[in-house]
Amino acid sequence: MSKKILPLVIGAAMGVAATTAAGATTLEDVKAKGFIQCGVSQGLPGFSNPDAQGNWTGLDVDLCRAMAAAVFGDASAVKYTPLSAKERFTALQSGEVDVLSRNTTWTMSRDTQLGLNFAGVNYYDGQGFMVRKDLGVTSALELSGASVCTNTGTTTELNVADYFRANNMPYEIVAFEKADEVVAAYDAGRCDVYTTDASGLYAQRLKLTNPGDHMVLPEIISKEPLGPVVRQGDDEWFNIAKWTLNAMLNAEELGVTSENVDEMKSSDNPSIKRLLGVEGAFGEAIGLSNDWAYNIVKNVGNYEESFNANVGPDTPLGISRGVNALWNDGGFMYAPPVR
């Protein structure tokens, strides 16, 4: 991976573009090496997780695969860099990765102070609570006096303090530095409750001795919009990341799937014709071929297909669409049109 890209914190402060020392854009750099370097988590089932053979899958992984399909027509043209929460932004700023797709919350400080751009939201999350079913509670408002396991020094810990204080409920915090330590403590019965992002609760539940003995309570106590991130100063690459996600959402809304995308190219619907490159030159406008979105859907699928395959009701995580449904089905997911 090229290390020629200027440090973005400095670059953003100076108002310069995020190009390599030789003047290459990220797209040019990616095309030259033949793959996208994608920063992912160190293993979060359903979002970015390797199997025993090192093959990565997940909702966040599919975003990287979709970008590769858009650029190369080949969803496998991706290499993955597992990153801790502490490492992730530096890796993107330094050019070690081309895109960060790693359950990262879009916040104002991250968007405005780190030289980074969030390309959208591919999963609306929020902090939740998990308990043992035999505890007999069905609401977080019944947790007065509970012991709560979480990670130390995080916004999660602060959110818990705010929530219990606001509801006049005493509690005891049991905090650990690493996520696996929190899971082990909860599984061993050292606390009554485990709290982190709700998606993390569903994923970590799979690691418990008896996952079916535990349930995630309905309350969500914070906003955690998660999405892909790129460096500031390279609008071309920013557009590719942004419109890759938009293409997956638009495809779902238009009923275009990996199974029917070929026959859909003959559709009379002008929105479908534009999305699939039958009419117009929308791929050219973002530096790609006109079948960029066709390649995304053909090789990876639309957003619903990715959601259902990785985190949906029929997966071990068993997450319902909820607020991650499309806007016209009661959710938050909304993509601008291709036109």
Side-chain angles (χ1 to χ4, degrees):
M1 172 62 201
S2 170
K3 300 291 186 182
K4 295 181 291 183
I5 296 177
L6 297 172
L8 262 292
V9 172
I10 298 174
M14 295 175 64
V16 299
T19 57
T20 67
T25 65
T26 304
L27 178 59
E28 291 169 338
D29 194 36
V30 162
K31 285 183 173 178
K33 63 190 178 188
F35 61 88
I36 294 173
Q37 195 76 42
C38 179
V40 292
S41 75
Q42 293 171 307
L44 184 64
F47 291 85
S48 49
N49 198 50
D51 63 17
Q53 288 72 46
N55 301 309
W56 286 84
T57 58
L59 194 69
D60 290 339
V61 166
D62 273 359
L63 192 285
C64 298
R65 297 177 63 241
M67 290 183 68
V71 173
F72 298 108
D74 178 5
S76 69
V78 185
K79 292 187 178 180
Y80 299 95
T81 301
L83 298 166
S84 69
K86 183 179 180 180
E87 296 167 333
R88 56 185 165 178
F89 298 126
T90 301
L92 181 58
Q93 291 164 340
S94 68
E96 182 181 347
V97 298
D98 303 307
V99 58
L100 181 68
S101 188
R102 184 203 175 282
N103 58 303
T104 298
T105 301
W106 186 351
T107 69
M108 181 176 179
S109 60
R110 290 171 176 175
D111 197 21
T112 61
Q113 299 176 20
L114 300 181
L116 307 177
N117 276 332
F118 282 78
V121 177
N122 71 333
Y123 190 87
Y124 286 96
D125 209 342
Q127 186 175 336
F129 300 95
M130 180 163 61
V131 298
R132 293 171 185 78
K133 291 179 179 176
D134 61 13
L135 198 61
V137 302
T138 57
S139 167
L141 295 173
E142 301 170 15
L143 294 176
S144 181
S147 55
V148 182
C149 276
T150 191
N151 284 94
T152 188
T154 62
T155 54
T156 300
E157 190 176 3
L158 300 176
N159 291 336
V160 168
D162 289 347
Y163 183 79
F164 278 77
R165 185 184 306 116
N167 290 287
N168 296 313
M169 299 190 300
Y171 73 105
E172 176 191 1
I173 200 74
V174 183
F176 301 87
E177 181 177 350
K178 298 179 180 178
D180 285 346
E181 295 173 334
V182 183
V183 176
Y186 172 76
D187 201 21
R190 295 180 59 184
C191 51
D192 303 312
V193 186
Y194 177 19
T195 184
T196 187
D197 289 353
S199 62
L201 294 177
Y202 286 106
Q204 302 290 27
R205 184 170 60 175
L206 301 178
K207 300 177 181 178
L208 299 176
T209 304
N210 296 301
D213 292 345
H214 305 264
M215 62 184 290
V216 178
L217 297 175
E219 286 84 358
I220 298 296
I221 65 169
S222 70
K223 294 187 293 184
E224 310 290 344
L226 312 179
V229 196
V230 296
R231 290 178 288 276
Q232 275 186 4
D234 187 342
D235 285 351
E236 180 182 58
W237 190 243
F238 179 41
N239 284 337
I240 290 171
K242 180 169 50 181
W243 280 97
T244 293
L245 175 58
N246 287 339
M248 297 178 76
L249 291 167
N250 277 318
E252 180 186 354
E253 184 176 337
L254 293 167
V256 182
T257 71
S258 58
E259 296 296 323
N260 68 17
V261 65
D262 286 306
E263 60 185 273
M264 280 293 191
K265 293 179 76 173
S266 302
S267 169
D268 293 328
N269 185 327
S271 295
I272 294 176
K273 288 178 177 288
R274 287 191 292 269
L275 175 68
L276 300 182
V278 179
E279 288 185 359
F282 297 97
E284 180 181 332
I286 56 174
L288 302 178
S289 62
N290 220 32
D291 58 357
W292 64 282
Y294 166 85
N295 288 329
I296 291 172
V297 180
K298 181 68 176 179
N299 288 277
V300 181
N302 64 32
Y303 181 80
E304 181 182 39
E305 290 179 282
S306 177
F307 187 98
N308 287 343
N310 293 299
V311 300
D314 295 330
T315 68
L317 272 69
I319 301 175
S320 63
R321 284 294 290 271
V323 297
N324 289 293
L326 292 180
W327 66 281
N328 54 3
D329 197 25
F332 295 166
M333 287 296 182
Y334 184 103
V338 176
R339 69 172 308 132

